[in-house]
Amino acid sequence: MHIESKKAAECLREALRDYNLKFGTILNDPDLAPFRASPEFKELQEEALRGGEDIGSGFRRDLKLISEVQAPFRGVRRFFYVALTAAAGISTFFTIPRLVLAVRGGDGAPDLLETAGNAAINIGGIVVLVALYFWENKKEEKQITQISRNETLSRLPVRLSTNRIIELVQLRDITRPVILAGSKASVTRALQRAERYRTELLKRGVLLIPVIFGASQKDQTKPRGFGTRRAAASVPSVGGDFEKRTESIAAKSRLKSEVRFKADIVSPEQWESWIRDQQESEGVTPGEDVYIILRLDGRVRRSGIGMPNWNDILQELPRLEDLMSKLER
């Protein structure tokens, strides 16, 4: 499997570089699902996130557009940081010669304390504004990484109670998935506690998705390799055509009728790989029990260590028909 993944990564890297392959295609293609669970995919994704000349420039551009939508005033703030830094720099350029004259003293020399104070204000302002500019860039990079991780999450497959296999992206606007990841004992206890609140949780669109660590190693019956598992019909992702992305009302309605209280994961290795990445990004020890609550639009709402307190979740999540839920879509 490792050799197969390395060969696939090299072929895809060449296609991205020389044949204008879109990285969104790699995210969407169901035949590449096993590859997306490999370390080689993570390396390729990190290259695409950097947006170098060889690969990923289009993917990074699409992610930046989504980032700008989610943080519309970041560009305005950065413009003001640059403009004010330039103004402070110009002022400092004229203040420094006056400061030199003030230090030398003599007739007609400017006041030393006043001139030194002006220079200090300008230099301090430049330092603060430059720090703010780089802080905004760091926030943007973190947000782009999270958007990419959310995009990978949206491609993960689940099996509904009707035995239909779909990807999480198809549940957007319908449910709030709550991922329970950990040992079998911890996840089982959390599911049992959730049953007590089943009715109220369903009113809030909660769909439980248990992920038991180590399940991918125990499952030896599934065939390995690329193209061996067919996932749900591909739904266009970042950079995809908007019209193709939009599902018909009838299809949404049919899918909604199939969604129950719990869904089972398909391809555990992909789920565990994504959860490990999420844990590392949050500073949590990989393998520790965690829960992750998603919004109706598919983004991560919040996460925590251990298993959730269902009373707190009932207080936090509005019902699907409430105004706050409509704003979340």
Side-chain angles (χ1 to χ4, degrees):
M1 183 64 179
H2 177 65
I3 296 175
E4 218 175 20
S5 297
K6 289 188 70 173
K7 290 181 179 178
E10 288 304 317
C11 291
L12 291 171
R13 187 175 285 106
E14 181 180 351
L16 287 164
R17 182 180 60 245
D18 300 333
Y19 300 100
N20 201 30
L21 174 69
K22 302 296 184 184
F23 196 84
T25 304
I26 300 175
L27 286 173
N28 298 341
D29 193 332
D31 288 335
L32 292 176
F35 173 69
R36 289 195 290 270
S38 69
E40 285 75 18
F41 168 73
K42 185 177 179 182
E43 292 176 7
L44 193 65
Q45 189 175 34
E46 289 174 352
E47 288 182 48
L49 280 173
R50 290 194 294 269
E53 292 296 324
D54 289 342
I55 68 169
S57 58
F59 180 59
R60 182 173 176 83
R61 183 175 59 251
D62 293 333
L63 292 177
K64 282 178 72 71
L65 288 173
I66 297 175
S67 175
E68 289 171 6
V69 170
Q70 294 181 7
F73 298 109
R74 178 176 291 134
V76 176
R77 290 195 298 270
R78 285 197 292 209
F79 171 79
F80 279 111
Y81 295 154
V82 172
L84 292 173
T85 300
I90 293 172
S91 178
T92 303
F93 178 78
F94 289 104
T95 303
I96 294 300
R98 289 176 54 82
L99 180 61
V100 173
L101 291 174
V103 171
R104 289 177 178 174
D107 294 339
D111 182 74
L112 178 59
L113 290 178
E114 181 182 353
T115 307
N118 291 336
I121 291 172
N122 288 331
I123 294 172
I126 291 173
V127 171
V128 170
L129 291 168
V130 169
L132 287 172
Y133 183 86
F134 282 106
W135 179 67
E136 287 286 358
N137 286 347
K138 187 175 180 181
K139 280 181 62 180
E140 182 183 50
E141 288 301 318
K142 185 176 180 181
Q143 186 180 37
I144 287 175
T145 301
Q146 185 60 53
I147 292 170
S148 175
R149 196 177 296 117
N150 287 342
E151 194 63 28
T152 303
L153 173 64
S154 73
R155 314 313 309 174
L156 296 180
V158 294
R159 180 181 285 106
L160 302 179
S161 59
T162 57
N163 213 35
R164 178 181 176 188
I165 296 177
I166 63 169
E167 293 175 337
L168 280 189
V169 66
Q170 294 171 268
L171 294 174
R172 286 179 180 173
D173 300 334
I174 297 177
T175 68
R176 291 186 176 100
V178 176
I179 302 167
L180 307 172
S183 65
K184 184 175 182 180
S186 298
V187 172
T188 300
R189 283 195 300 270
L191 290 173
Q192 291 172 345
R193 294 191 188 105
E195 282 292 338
R196 306 172 194 171
Y197 307 93
R198 183 187 183 105
T199 301
E200 288 301 317
L201 289 171
L202 284 172
K203 290 178 181 178
R204 289 158 175 79
V206 169
L207 176 69
L208 302 181
I209 302 178
V211 180
I212 298 173
F213 292 144
S216 60
Q217 299 173 0
K218 296 175 183 177
D219 186 5
Q220 302 294 336
T221 60
K222 294 183 180 179
R224 310 293 291 176
F226 303 127
T228 56
R229 181 189 66 80
R230 279 285 175 183
S234 178
V235 179
S237 184
V238 173
D241 183 67
F242 179 77
E243 292 181 359
K244 292 181 181 178
R245 194 185 182 103
T246 306
E247 295 185 55
S248 68
I249 296 176
K252 281 274 191 182
S253 179
R254 287 195 299 271
L255 182 58
K256 189 174 182 180
S257 67
E258 294 184 45
V259 174
R260 298 294 186 267
F261 189 49
K262 185 172 78 74
D264 296 319
I265 63 171
V266 180
S267 298
E269 68 280 358
Q270 294 182 62
W271 279 91
E272 290 186 38
S273 175
W274 184 87
I275 291 170
R276 282 196 302 271
D277 289 343
Q278 183 72 10
Q279 287 176 321
E280 289 173 2
S281 71
E282 299 293 335
V284 177
T285 304
E288 196 167 354
D289 292 349
V290 292
Y291 66 92
I292 303 164
I293 304 173
L294 305 186
R295 294 160 47 100
L296 286 171
D297 61 8
R299 288 184 289 163
V300 174
R301 182 187 186 97
R302 72 174 177 88
S303 58
I305 298 175
M307 291 293 119
N309 183 311
W310 299 111
N311 276 316
D312 292 344
I313 289 181
L314 290 178
Q315 295 296 321
E316 176 184 345
L317 300 179
R319 296 187 178 189
L320 288 176
E321 66 273 12
D322 290 350
L323 175 62
M324 292 303 295
S325 291
K326 293 177 182 177
L327 293 174
E328 194 177 300
R329 290 182 168 93

